[in-house]
Amino acid sequence: MGTVSVPRNFRLLDELEQGEKVTRGGDGNVSYGLDDGDDLLMRYWAGAIVGPANTVHDGRIYTVKLYCDQNYPDKAPQVRFETRVNLGCVGQNGVVDARHFHVLSNWNSRYNIETILVELRREMASHHNRRLPQPPEGTTY
């Protein structure tokens, strides 16, 4: 029995609805939605990650931009931090390097925007990132 492929726009509408639920009823550590409500193709997304407790990220809020092209969810979105952050998987320009971030390097069409944000937060709490010196709070790329 083959798998059923959900059309891209239906998938993204479902993610938008889930993002609204996470914002209202989730644990509050990640949130996301369309960056521009007039983006009918649902390409440009914005996310926020609350830094994990007991790390150098504690109390900080990081903003992330995601771009889902016409091949999403079969192809991973492009992910870029707007808020400056020092993480092993983030380049000097804020772009998340797929080679160093397991979710993007091993992309699976079952993954979604929430998966990316939750795993980036988990990356912040990892032993090799939890104590890295960070740029001044509130600075952007």
Side-chain angles (χ1 to χ4, degrees):
M1 197 173 219
T3 59
V4 175
S5 180
V6 176
R8 176 186 178 278
N9 286 358
F10 290 163
R11 165 72 181 265
L12 287 170
L13 282 170
D14 185 53
E15 288 195 44
L16 181 58
E17 183 179 322
Q18 290 301 319
E20 291 172 352
K21 287 180 183 176
V22 168
T23 301
R24 287 194 306 254
D27 65 7
N29 291 320
V30 300
S31 63
Y32 59 95
L34 285 174
D35 196 28
D36 177 0
D38 293 331
D39 180 11
L40 298 178
L41 297 177
M42 294 181 279
R43 296 170 296 186
Y44 299 97
W45 293 71
I49 302 170
V50 176
N54 303 315
T55 70
V56 294
H57 308 283
D58 194 355
R60 292 184 175 209
I61 298 175
Y62 296 93
T63 55
V64 179
K65 298 291 184 169
L66 303 99
Y67 175 75
C68 300
D69 72 12
Q70 69 277 5
N71 296 313
Y72 180 84
D74 296 322
K75 178 184 169 202
Q78 297 170 14
V79 184
R80 181 181 56 81
F81 275 84
E82 277 201 327
T83 309
R84 291 187 70 82
V85 65
N86 185 13
L87 290 175
C89 62
V90 178
Q92 295 294 332
N93 57 359
V95 173
V96 177
D97 186 340
R99 296 170 300 175
H100 300 291
F101 183 52
H102 67 282
V103 171
L104 298 181
S105 64
N106 298 305
W107 184 255
N108 181 314
S109 63
R110 291 186 306 251
Y111 294 165
N112 57 31
I113 293 168
E114 183 178 356
T115 304
I116 294 168
L117 298 175
V118 167
E119 290 302 316
L120 282 170
R121 186 171 190 275
R122 186 169 288 137
E123 190 72 20
M124 290 174 181
S126 70
H127 70 279
H128 53 277
N129 287 315
R130 67 183 301 116
R131 303 266 179 247
L132 281 179
Q134 294 299 310
E137 191 167 356
T139 57
T140 58
Y141 289 100

